[in-house]
Amino acid sequence: MPRQTKGGSYAVGRARRERILDVATRMFATIGYSQVSLTEIAREGGLTAPGLRHHFPTKQHLLMAIIERRFDRTLDRANLRPPDQDGTGPFRIMLTITEMIAADPDLTQLFVLVMAESADARSQTHDLFVSRQEVIIADLVAQFQEAVTAGHLREDVDYRALARQCIAVTDGLQLQWILSGRTLDFVSMNARILELLAADVRVDGRRIDLRTPAAAAAE
């Protein structure tokens, strides 16, 4: 039997870790964090309990990893942004992230629950949410400032406050989506709000359909 390379072992371990996170996300969201044991998660993921604990010693480690992965994927998606042609770039990124959120309802439901608990400074996830949200805000502000420099957006705007508005709207609509039994079209609702925010800070004040490619919108 051919020996597995170090790189191959890492890839296998990484894939196993991702499978554990996927299974745990679904089970935490549908059954409940306190109602699910590591043994049950291991069984559902095709692992032994010791095998799972090799990656995640406790449920707390597992929950933190799930939330961190959600933040990481959000930032990864933001970093894929194309050049901003009209000042709508940051708003388009927020809409794309909203679409990503809607595509993974189990994770979104879990995220909303944990986000609510993180408001308590004593919670396990409080510091994680605070630090990661600051990273997201800083990234949005940098994008806004680039658009200001390019002459697309007004200079007399508090873009840190605007970044918080964009995040608050998205977070609030996630909650409304879950409360509606996932029937609310929160992607379209967020698109309309983001379009209004973008028009308010664009130099020409024109409202642009964020679902239209930037090149087409500029024509």
Side-chain angles (χ1 to χ4, degrees), residues 79-95:
N79 289 332
L80 292 176
R81 60 182 179 269
D84 186 2
Q85 301 181 33
D86 57 7
T88 63
F91 302 97
R92 291 178 185 277
I93 288 296
M94 289 299 300
L95 182 57

Side-chain angles (χ1 to χ4, degrees), residues 121-178:
R122 299 165 297 179
S123 72
Q124 301 169 357
T125 55
H126 175 79
D127 290 344
L128 173 62
F129 269 82
V130 170
S131 61
R132 287 306 192 100
Q133 188 159 98
E134 284 302 315
V135 171
I136 294 171
I137 290 170
D139 184 70
L140 273 175
V141 171
Q143 292 181 57
F144 286 136
Q145 292 299 337
E146 289 174 9
V148 170
T149 301
H152 299 310
L153 299 184
R154 291 163 39 197
E155 297 180 357
D156 61 334
V157 174
D158 182 346
Y159 285 103
R160 185 172 180 80
L162 179 59
R164 287 190 179 277
Q165 280 183 276
C166 292
I167 293 170
V169 168
T170 301
D171 286 347
L173 286 174
Q174 286 181 77
L175 174 59
Q176 293 299 313
W177 184 50
I178 297 301

Side-chain angles (χ1 to χ4, degrees), residues 108-127:
T108 300
Q109 180 166 328
L110 179 62
F111 189 85
V112 167
L113 291 170
V114 176
M115 179 168 56
E117 294 176 358
S118 73
D120 184 345
R122 299 165 297 179
S123 72
Q124 301 169 357
T125 55
H126 175 79
D127 290 344

Side-chain angles (χ1 to χ4, degrees), residues 14 17-18 21 64-80 97 100 107 111 128 131-133 135-136 139:
R14 182 73 181 178
R17 186 178 188 276
E18 292 298 305
L21 292 176
M64 294 289 281
I66 290 170
I67 300 305
E68 285 201 67
R69 184 173 69 162
R70 159 72 181 267
F71 279 120
D72 287 341
R73 287 178 172 177
T74 298
L75 287 172
D76 287 345
R77 184 61 192 85
N79 289 332
L80 292 176
I97 290 171
M100 183 184 76
L107 177 57
F111 189 85
L128 173 62
S131 61
R132 287 306 192 100
Q133 188 159 98
V135 171
I136 294 171
D139 184 70

Side-chain angles (χ1 to χ4, degrees), residues 11-61:
V12 170
R14 182 73 181 178
R16 183 177 297 121
R17 186 178 188 276
E18 292 298 305
R19 185 170 72 252
I20 293 169
L21 292 176
D22 289 340
V23 170
T25 297
R26 175 171 51 79
M27 295 183 75
F28 287 164
T30 58
I31 302 173
Y33 175 76
S34 61
Q35 282 71 45
V36 177
S37 69
L38 286 179
T39 299
E40 290 169 320
I41 293 170
R43 186 185 306 119
E44 188 72 16
L47 299 169
T48 63
L52 187 149
R53 288 193 176 92
H54 172 74
H55 296 278
F56 305 102
T58 67
K59 276 204 300 182
Q60 180 181 346
H61 286 92

